[in-house]
Amino acid sequence: MGSEHSDATGAETSAMALKILVAGGFGVGKTTLVGAVSEIRPLRTEELLSEAGQSVDDTEGVDRKTTTTVAMDFGRITIRSGLSLYLFGTPGQDRFWFLWDELSQGALGAVVLADTRRLEDCFPAVDYFEHRRIPFVVAVNCFTDARTYGALEVTRALDLDRGTPVVLCDARDRDSGKEVLIRLVEYAGRVHSARLLDSVG
C-alpha cells in the first residue's frame, strides 16, 4: 500500500495537510517566500502594475517592483513524513482585502512578513489575525539595505500580544523559509491545544 497506512477497520489514513497563510504589506516578499519553499511549481496570480493602480497602491520603498499579486500565491511543502503545508500568499494591497476572509477559512495559522524599512505596512495583517484569533508569527524579511532590529524591538514596535514569535528570515532562502514555517506550526499547535484544554476545563 506504499506509504499509506490502514487503521483497525482497514480504511486508509492519509497524510495530514495544514493550511497556512502568508501575509504582509505590499512588496514585502510573500510571493518570494512561497516560491522559495514550495516543492511544486507555485501558482501565482501576478499582474503588471498599471497606471490606473498608481493612485491607490502605495509603492513607496518598493519602486522597482513591477508586478502585484491580485488573488493569491499557492505552494506546498512537506515539513516531515506525513505532514504537508499548503501555503496561501495573500495580496498585499488594501483594495484586495475582501479576499482575506475567504483565504483564512480553515487556516491553522499565518506568517506575517515584515520589512523593517516599512514596518507599519504589516500592522493591518497583525490586527486582522489578532482580531480573528488566528495564531501567527512575524517573520522579518532581512533586506540587505535595511537596518537590523532584534526580535524584542520588533515586538515592541508592533505592540504584539505576549508570546507571539518574531523570527528573522531571508524570504529567498528555502531553509530560512522552512524554519519560519516550522516555528509557526509549533506555535499554532500550542495555541490550539491550550484553547482546547480551556474549552473542556
Side-chain angles (χ1 to χ4, degrees), residues 128-145:
Y128 181 91
F129 296 123
E130 284 183 345
H131 181 70
R132 287 159 181 79
R133 301 184 73 224
I134 297 174
F136 67 94
V137 301
V138 173
V140 179
N141 192 7
C142 298
F143 290 91
T144 53
D145 58 342

Side-chain angles (χ1 to χ4, degrees), residues 17-18 28 32 40 69 83-85 94 110 112 123 126 135 139 158 165 169 186 188 201:
L18 303 172
V28 78
T32 300
I40 61 172
T69 298
L83 175 59
S84 296
L85 304 182
D94 296 351
V112 175
F123 273 116
V126 169
L158 294 176
C169 74
E186 291 173 346

Side-chain angles (χ1 to χ4, degrees), residues 7-22:
D7 60 20
T9 65
E12 292 180 352
T13 57
S14 58
M16 181 182 294
L18 303 172
K19 181 180 183 180
I20 302 295
L21 299 186
V22 180

Side-chain angles (χ1 to χ4, degrees), residues 45-188:
T45 57
E46 288 197 312
E47 295 291 342
L48 289 173
L49 289 171
S50 65
E51 289 186 19
Q54 288 179 355
S55 61
V56 289
D57 295 333
D58 180 11
T59 58
E60 184 177 350
V62 286
D63 304 331
R64 289 175 292 179
K65 187 169 172 62
T66 59
T67 61
T68 182
T69 298
V70 295
M72 67 173 183
D73 298 311
F74 174 78
R76 186 191 72 211
I77 179 174
T78 302
I79 295 296
R80 58 173 169 76
S81 178
L83 175 59
S84 296
L85 304 182
Y86 289 99
L87 309 175
F88 292 82
T90 65
Q93 297 113 301
D94 296 351
R95 61 193 169 112
F96 295 120
W97 269 56
F98 65 92
L99 295 168
W100 282 47
D101 287 338
E102 193 70 33
L103 289 174
S104 65
Q105 291 294 318
L108 173 78
V111 174
V112 175
L113 270 177
D115 178 352
T116 57
R117 299 169 301 180
R118 299 177 293 119
L119 203 56
E120 66 280 0
D121 287 1
C122 69
F123 273 116
V126 169
D127 290 343
Y128 181 91
F129 296 123
E130 284 183 345
H131 181 70
R132 287 159 181 79
R133 301 184 73 224
I134 297 174
F136 67 94
V137 301
V138 173
V140 179
N141 192 7
C142 298
F143 290 91
T144 53
D145 58 342
R147 181 180 166 191
T148 302
Y149 293 89
L152 186 58
E153 292 174 287
V154 174
T155 296
R156 288 173 175 165
L158 294 176
D159 193 26
L160 297 174
D161 288 342
R162 184 177 179 183
T164 301
V166 174
V167 295
L168 306 182
C169 74
D170 181 344
R172 303 166 299 180
D173 183 77
R174 176 180 170 82
D175 290 337
S176 180
K178 187 173 180 179
E179 282 301 313
V180 170
L181 295 171
I182 290 171
R183 283 287 301 274
L184 171 62
V185 171
E186 291 173 346
Y187 173 64

